[in-house]
Amino acid sequence: MNNRQLFLSHLAQTTDFPLLIEIEKAEGIYMYGPNNERYIDLISGIGVSNVGHRHPRVIGAIKDQLDKYLHLMVYGEYVQTPQAKLAEALVHTLPDGLDNVYLVNSGSEAVEGALKLAKRYTNRREIISCINAYHGSSHGSLSVGGNEIFKRSYRPLLPGISHIAYGNENDLDLITEQSAAIIIETIQGEAGIRVADASYFKALRKRCNETGTLLIMDEIQAGFGRTGKFWAFEHFGIQPDILVCAKGMGGGMPIGAFISSKEIMGHFKSNPLLGHITTFGGHPVSAVASLATIQVLKEAQVVEQVEKKAALFRDLLVHDKIISIRNKGLMMAVQFESFEVLKPIIDKAISLGVVTDWFLFCDDSMRLAPPLIITEEQINEACTLILQAIDEA
């Protein structure tokens, strides 16, 4: 059987209509098929490849680590240079009070750890999250997700979960002295790139302070330069008690983290000890890839160029079928009349060599989240092909 037949026969499927794009290699913003078909990747594997596919610094770090060691021991027992150096680099991107890093394998795992930490630290059981939030697919992260369609088949989920409207200050009164934490996406991703006002985040931070509730900010999609600042919360003049990250963190390798203060994180050391455990979290190969990613973002001033590139997308994507464009940096949603209008455009764009997507909870909008290293010339080419797809679809 060929690869497509093997894929359909032996790999678990999550829909009856997978994209079935076969990729042989990838470099920068481009992916290539077996017959050298070229695709511009405008979704970065859903916000993963912030420094592009196979960045030379990332590949070099991986190759160097392969000559030293792979997995040695469960997280937190052996002193491993890749983990220690990565934690140091992460802390240096953050304000005081976010100085302790727990490395895991993915965003969902980071959310799970953050929820456990909030309950353990506060000795409370109630968690608040937002309507149309997406925090992952494992049981705990699904429990705090904000869309019932994805949850109803898996109940019972975690008890004690309440939902508020993102960006609505009136709902903040639902955060009380019984709330262990509120978990919130700094920028709502799967809801179609929704951005609350700075005043909302300041009110949220104030309410958490008043009630002793921990503020968990999920930057799994929005972190690592995606919005034009290294961390999206920097736009709003506040900081979380626990920060969750993954996706763009690894340069294409699987890794995630939840980050807090040493005082809060220290509660995992007792009652019980080993309060959170992971076998592969902070895998040395993923850790060196993440460190190289941070170095590229910092040294090449990639983040500083994001807003200019986002503005170019907005200037070029002008069409009477485009209703609006919502964005924070290169986290973008291009809105059309309906999914029925959008889906043929996405399909046509793929046939023209441009990969886009829609959002889980906003299927009338096209997702654009290109590698942050995309050039102005490449943006021009990609937008020309999207406009062609709109016309031809």
Side-chain angles (χ1 to χ4, degrees), residues 137-156:
S137 286
S138 53
H139 258 72
S141 57
L142 186 62
S143 298
V144 293
N147 189 288
E148 184 60 25
I149 291 172
F150 282 82
K151 297 164 67 170
R152 62 171 63 114
S153 295
Y154 303 104
R155 293 192 177 279

Side-chain angles (χ1 to χ4, degrees), residues 49-162:
S49 303
N50 282 15
V51 296
H53 294 281
R54 300 184 68 253
H55 191 284
R57 286 283 292 275
V58 174
I59 296 301
I62 290 170
K63 288 180 176 178
D64 287 346
Q65 183 59 38
L66 293 178
D67 290 331
K68 296 173 183 175
Y69 56 83
L70 302 181
H71 173 74
L72 298 178
M73 178 59 165
V74 296
Y75 171 87
E77 295 296 329
Y78 291 175
V79 177
Q80 300 183 46
T81 299
Q83 293 178 351
K85 293 294 187 183
L86 173 58
E88 177 190 37
L90 284 167
V91 167
H92 283 168
T93 69
L94 290 162
D96 294 343
L98 291 169
D99 58 6
N100 217 240
V101 179
Y102 196 117
L103 297 170
V104 291
N105 301 285
S106 68
S108 287
E109 289 183 48
V111 167
E112 298 285 347
L115 295 177
K116 285 178 63 179
L117 182 60
K119 288 182 174 182
R120 175 67 186 87
Y121 178 74
T122 63
N123 199 31
R124 302 174 185 179
R125 297 294 174 261
E126 181 185 80
I127 303 289
I128 309 290
S129 62
C130 290
I131 298 164
N132 279 343
Y134 182 78
H135 298 290
S137 286
S138 53
H139 258 72
S141 57
L142 186 62
S143 298
V144 293
N147 189 288
E148 184 60 25
I149 291 172
F150 282 82
K151 297 164 67 170
R152 62 171 63 114
S153 295
Y154 303 104
R155 293 192 177 279
L157 295 169
L158 288 182
I161 309 296
S162 300

Side-chain angles (χ1 to χ4, degrees), residues 8-318:
L8 292 170
S9 296
H10 301 306
L11 279 174
Q13 302 294 303
T14 56
T15 73
D16 288 323
F17 41 89
L19 287 175
L20 287 175
I21 301 172
E22 189 170 349
I23 301 299
E24 287 279 307
K25 61 181 179 179
E27 195 85 30
I29 72 161
Y30 300 110
M31 304 181 295
Y32 299 90
N35 298 312
N36 213 36
E37 310 95 320
R38 193 195 72 172
Y39 301 94
I40 300 173
D41 184 1
L42 286 190
I43 53 174
S44 304
I46 313 299
V48 169
S49 303
N50 282 15
V51 296
H53 294 281
R54 300 184 68 253
H55 191 284
R57 286 283 292 275
V58 174
I59 296 301
I62 290 170
K63 288 180 176 178
D64 287 346
Q65 183 59 38
L66 293 178
D67 290 331
K68 296 173 183 175
Y69 56 83
L70 302 181
H71 173 74
L72 298 178
M73 178 59 165
V74 296
Y75 171 87
E77 295 296 329
Y78 291 175
V79 177
Q80 300 183 46
T81 299
Q83 293 178 351
K85 293 294 187 183
L86 173 58
E88 177 190 37
L90 284 167
V91 167
H92 283 168
T93 69
L94 290 162
D96 294 343
L98 291 169
D99 58 6
N100 217 240
V101 179
Y102 196 117
L103 297 170
V104 291
N105 301 285
S106 68
S108 287
E109 289 183 48
V111 167
E112 298 285 347
L115 295 177
K116 285 178 63 179
L117 182 60
K119 288 182 174 182
R120 175 67 186 87
Y121 178 74
T122 63
N123 199 31
R124 302 174 185 179
R125 297 294 174 261
E126 181 185 80
I127 303 289
I128 309 290
S129 62
C130 290
I131 298 164
N132 279 343
Y134 182 78
H135 298 290
S137 286
S138 53
H139 258 72
S141 57
L142 186 62
S143 298
V144 293
N147 189 288
E148 184 60 25
I149 291 172
F150 282 82
K151 297 164 67 170
R152 62 171 63 114
S153 295
Y154 303 104
R155 293 192 177 279
L157 295 169
L158 288 182
I161 309 296
S162 300
H163 296 285
I164 63 175
Y166 174 88
N168 185 341
E169 289 190 34
N170 294 328
D171 279 5
L172 297 182
D173 287 341
L174 296 174
I175 302 170
T176 71
E177 286 78 6
Q178 282 70 53
S179 307
I182 174 170
I183 181 168
I184 186 169
E185 296 166 278
T186 313
I187 312 297
Q188 278 203 313
E190 298 308 319
I193 315 303
R194 310 294 173 173
V195 187
D197 295 332
S199 61
Y200 171 78
F201 281 107
K202 286 183 169 63
L204 172 62
R205 178 69 269 180
K206 181 174 182 287
R207 184 61 180 167
C208 288
N209 292 345
E210 292 169 348
T211 59
T213 302
L214 295 188
L215 174 57
I216 304 171
M217 299 190 84
D218 177 342
E219 299 217 355
I220 292 168
Q221 287 195 52
F224 282 77
R226 173 61 53 190
T227 67
K229 291 188 181 292
F230 199 94
W231 301 106
F233 69 78
E234 296 177 67
H235 291 285
F236 305 109
I238 64 160
Q239 70 182 65
D241 299 298
I242 305 174
L243 176 66
V244 176
C245 55
K247 286 190 179 290
M249 177 179 181
M253 292 295 289
I255 191 168
F258 57 103
I259 305 169
S260 190
S261 68
K262 193 169 186 179
E263 192 268 327
I264 292 175
M265 199 75 80
H267 283 68
F268 274 155
K269 295 189 292 185
S270 62
N271 194 27
L273 80 168
L274 301 175
H276 195 64
I277 305 171
T278 172
T279 297
F280 293 112
H283 191 283
V285 176
S286 293
V288 297
S290 182
L291 179 58
T293 297
I294 294 172
Q295 291 167 342
V296 170
L297 291 172
K298 291 288 189 179
E299 295 169 15
Q301 295 189 307
V302 174
V303 182
E304 290 81 354
Q305 301 168 34
V306 164
E307 191 50 54
K308 182 180 179 183
K309 293 175 181 179
L312 183 56
F313 269 105
R314 293 181 64 94
D315 289 343
L316 293 174
L317 289 176
V318 177

